[in-house]
Amino acid sequence: DGFKDMQDPNLAQISKLRNYITPPSHWIIGGDGWAYDIGYGGLDHVLASGANVNILILDTEMYSNTGGQVSKSTPKGSYAKYAMRGKKQNKKDIGQIAMTYGHVYVASCSLAADYNQSVQAFKEAESYDGPSLIIAYATCVDWGHSDGTDAMVKQQQEAVQSGYWPLYRFDPRAKITNPEAQALMVDSPKVRLDLQQFLDHENRFTLLQRKDKERALGQQKELGEFSQNRLNTLREHAMDHEELLDKLKASLGEKVGEKVLVTYASETGNAAEVAKSFAHELKGRKVRVQCRSLADVDAEGLAEEKMVFFITATCGQGEWPANSKAFWKELNDANLSATHLANTKYAVFGLGDSGYVFFNSVAKELDERMAALGAQRVLDTGLADDQDDGGLDAAWEEWKPSIYGVIEAADPPEELGMDTHLVKALPADEATELGFEVAEQYLPVGAQQVPMTKADLLTPEDYDRDIRHFEFDLKGLGMSYEMGDSLGVWPRNSPEAVDRALNYFGLFYNDVLQFEDVTGNSRKDPLPKVIRAGVFFEQVLDLFGKPRRRFYEMMATLAHDEIEKKQLNHMLSQKGKDDLKALRDDTVTHFDVLEMFPNTRPTIAQLLDYIPDIKPRLYSIASATRMRGEDELHLLIVADEWENSKGEHRHGLCTRYLRNLEPQTKEPLRVAARVNAAAVQYPEDLKIPLILSGLGTGLAPLRAAIEERVAANREGEETGPMALFFGSRHRKEEFPYANEFEQYVKDGVLTHLHPAFSRDQEEKVYVQDRIREQAELVYDYLVNQGGYFYYCGTGGSAVEDIQKEVEGAFVKCGNMTPEEAHELVTDMRLKGRYNVEAW
C-alpha cells in the first residue's frame, strides 16, 4: 500500500501487478528432539496462536544430532542411549495432539512410500491460511539397517506397508463448504507386511533382542498393537457417520446393507480424484458407497463385493500404478478359479493418453482379467483420452450417466453445494473511492506477456482456409525452448462476446469484481482479489467455451421455471441424451445455454464453480534456436472454423483471437504464453536419419527439426539424411515454407522431399501413398540405419494409414510377416524412435 503515493512509474506498475508476485514460502524446520521435547512449549504456542506458519518436523525418532539419545519420539521396544533395555513407553503422538486444536493443518508423510501424498501435503500446508504441521518420517543412520545405508528408501516404504508409520492429512478447510465432510484423510494403504519383519531389519530393534530377547519381543509386540490401534483409530476418525455405523454394526455381528465399491489405481492422483468425486456424487444420489484405493483391496475379498467400479490410470509404458501392483499380482494368482468372481458385477473406466503405446492398458487388462474370473460386466469399459478436445473429462461425462441407470440411482439432490467464492460487484467510481488496487489484466500462473512481431497470412484472402505464420520476440523474458516444444497461448474472448456477458449481468467493463475464496484453496490458480468485470469475462472465465454435463446439471438444479426445468432434466436423462449430444455437436457454449434458458440465472459465484478458466492452446514451435537465435520463436497456425447444423459460423477461440491481432512497431502487442516441454523425442546424434511426415500445419515441428540440422550443417557439423513427406490439398495455397525446403534439397541437407497434394489431380494422393512408393527408402532409414520416424497432423485414420504403410515397407523390404513388422514399430515407439503428435 505504501507504493500508492509514490511517483516512480516503476513502483506504480509493481503495485498494480502485485497480485501476480508469488509470495515466498516460509518454513520452520526442526528435528523430533526439538519438536517433541525441548522446544515443544514454543511449538505448541505457535500452533495455538493461529498464525500462518508452516512447520516441518524431520522425525528421526531420537536425538540424532547429539549421539542417538532417547527422545519422546522414540518408539517402544527400541534401543537408544539412556534406554538400553528398550524404551518402555509409546512415542508421543504429536500429530494427534495438534489435530485436537481443530484449526491446525496436520500431515504425516513418508516420502519414498508415497511421493504424491508428500507433495500434496506440502502444497496443502503452504496454501493453508493458518498453522500447518508436517511430520516426516526421516530415516537415520543411527538406526542401523541390515542392508546398510542404501536401504533408506526401502525403510520408508516398509514403515508404511507394515502400519508402523501412518500416512494422513488433516485439513480444517474441508468442513467450510460441507460441514458433514471429514477433515481427516487417511492415505495409508492396507497393511501387507508383518511389523516384526520390518523391525527385524533395524539394529535398534534387533540389538535389544540380542540383549534380552523375551523382553524385546514383548515390547515390540506391544509396539505392533499400538501401531495397529493408532491406524485403526485414524481410519475411524476419517469415516463419515454411515461408514462408522456400518463398522460398529459389523463388529457386533449385525447385518450391514450392501454397498457399491468405487476403487482406483492412481499414480499422480488424477484417478483417485475422479473416484472420490464419483463416490461423493453417488452418495448424493442415495447410493450406499465406499471408496478405497486398490492398495486396500485384495483379490480374495473382492469376491464378497456385489458391485465394483474401477477407475484406473496407466503409467509410462503400460505399468500399473504403485498403489495397485499388489492387488494386480493377487488377482493373477493361478489358484483363483474361473468362477471366483461369479457374484460380482463390475465396470472399468480408464484414464489414458493415446500418445503412449499402451493406451489405457491397465483398464483393458483389468477388464479382461475380471471377466476371466467370472465377474459380470455391467457396462463397456470407458477409455478416456487426454488427447481429446475435452481432455479426460469428455469421455468420463459420457460414460458416467450410464452407471446411474445400471444401479438405479436416485436423482441428484435439488441443491448446489456452498459457493467456494464470495463475489461482490462494485461500480468503477465506488471502487476508486475505496482505494482498491484493481487488476487491469489477468496473467495466468506460469505465463508471460510475449511480444508478437509478425503475423503473416500465407493463404489467399479469399481462400477457404486461413493459415498464418507468427513470430514472437523472447528477448529479456528468460524463456527458452528446445526442438519439439510447443507454445501455450492464452486466448481472450472477443469484445463482442464480453459485451454480451456484461449486459447479461448488468455490468460495465470498468466495474469491479471482488473475490474472496472462502475455502482457502478451491482453485489451482487463485484469482486476483479485485479485477475489472470486463477483464474477468475477457481473460478469465471460459464463458464461451463448450459446457460439460455438470454445467447442465447445475442449470437444472437452479431452474424454477417448470418448462425450463423439464427441458433440462430431459436432456440429462437416458431418453434425452441424444438431444444433449445434438447440442454438443452444434458446439453450443455456456453462454448459449444461459440464453436458451433465460429464466434460470446463475450468479457469477456459481459460474466460477461450474465453468473452467480459459485454458492455453498448445501450438508446436516451427523454428529452431540454432538457426533463428534464442530470442525468436515461430508458429504455424490454421484457423479453426466450421458451421453447425443451423448454418451458424463458428470459430476456435484462440485462432480467432490471434487472427485479429495486428503486431505494432512502437509498442509491441503482447500475448500471454508459456513454453511447454516436448511430447516427442529427437535423437541427440544429428547423424541419425530422420523420416518426417506431416499434414497441414503439422509441418511446424518438422520445420524446426529440419532447421536444426540445416544450421548444424552450415556450421560444419556432419548431419544425417532426412526425408520429408508432406500432405495437403493444394500445392499453391497450402505448402508453407515450400521455397525453404526446396532450397534445403538443393543444399543436400534435406535429402528427400515427397509432397502429396490430394486435390491437384484427378486421382487423390495422400502421404501414405508417397510412403508406400518410397518403401525401400523407409526401410533403409528406419531399419538398416536405425533412424527415427515422426508424424504430426490430424489424428484418426491418417495415423493408422501411415503406420500401416510403414509396416508394409518393413514387410516388403525386410522379409517380415505383418505381425513382425507391427512388433517392430511397437518396439520403436517404446524406444522413442516412432513418434506421433496428433490432434
Side-chain angles (χ1 to χ4, degrees), residues 45 47 55 170 173 228 314 355 385 450 471 484 585-586 621 623 696 728 734 736 750 769 804 810:
H45 178 75
L47 296 178
I55 302 168
F170 177 85
R173 291 170 295 196
Q228 188 60 56
T314 299
D385 186 358
V450 182
E471 295 186 10
D585 291 343
D586 270 354
I621 295 173
S623 55
S728 66
E734 297 181 43
L750 181 58
D769 298 317
K804 179 182 177 182
F810 294 173

Side-chain angles (χ1 to χ4, degrees), residues 189-333:
K190 178 180 178 180
V191 174
R192 296 178 183 271
L193 178 68
D194 180 70
L195 178 68
Q196 193 63 53
Q197 183 180 339
F198 164 69
L199 300 181
D200 287 348
H201 283 305
E202 294 187 1
N203 189 53
R204 57 176 175 160
F205 294 106
T206 57
L207 180 60
L208 193 62
Q209 294 175 21
R210 292 193 293 273
K211 288 178 174 290
D212 188 337
K213 187 169 184 177
E214 183 178 352
R215 179 185 181 87
L217 293 178
Q219 289 182 350
Q220 290 164 13
K221 179 182 178 183
E222 292 173 1
L223 170 62
E225 293 170 352
F226 166 78
S227 300
Q228 188 60 56
N229 289 337
R230 177 178 56 184
L231 188 54
N232 290 341
T233 300
L234 285 168
R235 293 194 190 281
E236 289 175 0
H237 287 172
M239 293 177 180
D240 61 25
H241 295 163
E242 182 183 279
E243 290 174 318
L244 187 56
L245 181 60
D246 285 348
K247 185 176 188 298
L248 293 173
K249 283 183 176 180
S251 68
L252 296 173
E254 294 185 23
K255 186 176 180 180
V256 178
E258 292 182 3
K259 283 188 173 184
V260 168
L261 172 62
V262 176
T263 185
Y264 53 89
S266 185
E267 184 73 21
T268 64
N270 286 341
E273 185 177 338
V274 170
K276 291 171 185 177
S277 176
F278 181 44
H280 180 72
E281 288 184 48
L282 290 177
K283 286 183 179 181
R285 290 173 174 266
K286 309 301 181 185
V287 176
R288 288 171 54 80
V289 61
Q290 56 181 327
C291 184
R292 291 187 291 175
S293 163
L294 272 176
D296 297 325
V297 178
D298 59 70
E300 287 290 340
L302 195 63
E304 300 173 9
E305 303 292 342
K306 301 302 180 184
M307 182 73 73
V308 185
F309 297 122
F310 298 92
I311 312 296
T312 68
T314 299
C315 301
Q317 301 297 352
E319 295 96 352
W320 280 65
N323 79 317
S324 59
K325 288 182 177 179
F327 166 80
W328 182 236
K329 182 179 180 180
E330 291 175 357
L331 198 67
N332 282 281
D333 188 335

Side-chain angles (χ1 to χ4, degrees), residues 348-472:
V348 181
F349 187 84
L351 308 178
D353 187 326
S354 58
Y356 290 87
V357 178
F358 297 103
F359 170 60
N360 266 318
S361 62
V362 169
K364 296 172 184 176
E365 290 172 2
L366 178 58
D367 174 60
E368 183 179 347
R369 183 57 180 160
M370 290 290 291
L373 293 175
Q376 306 166 52
R377 185 188 301 109
V378 297
L379 193 64
D380 288 342
T381 297
L383 301 176
D385 186 358
D386 203 28
Q387 300 283 342
D388 288 345
D389 285 344
L392 299 173
D393 288 344
W396 172 243
E397 292 198 1
E398 288 291 329
W399 188 85
K400 180 175 63 173
S402 300
I403 290 295
Y404 301 142
V406 168
I407 59 178
E408 300 180 347
D411 292 333
E414 286 289 304
E415 60 181 17
L416 298 178
M418 178 179 168
D419 296 338
T420 59
H421 287 75
L422 297 177
V423 182
K424 186 177 181 180
L426 298 173
D429 54 355
E430 185 176 335
T432 301
E433 291 175 6
L434 293 173
F436 285 144
E437 291 286 345
V438 182
E440 305 291 349
Q441 65 176 356
Y442 177 69
L443 188 64
V445 174
Q448 295 192 64
Q449 295 290 353
V450 182
M452 177 193 291
T453 58
K454 187 177 287 189
D456 293 342
L457 179 64
L458 302 183
T459 50
E461 290 189 5
D462 58 351
Y463 193 61
D464 63 351
R465 285 189 183 172
D466 183 300
I467 301 175
R468 295 179 186 247
H469 170 82
F470 295 91
E471 295 186 10
F472 299 87

Side-chain angles (χ1 to χ4, degrees), residues 6 11 24 35 47 309 326 361 366 417 427 518 549 622 705 715 806:
M6 293 188 177
L11 292 178
L47 296 178
F309 297 122
S361 62
L366 178 58
V518 296
R549 181 184 177 88
E715 294 169 7
V806 171

Side-chain angles (χ1 to χ4, degrees), residues 486-499:
S486 59
L487 187 71
V489 177
W490 274 266
R492 297 183 179 185
N493 286 316
S494 68
E496 298 78 16
V498 173
D499 285 343

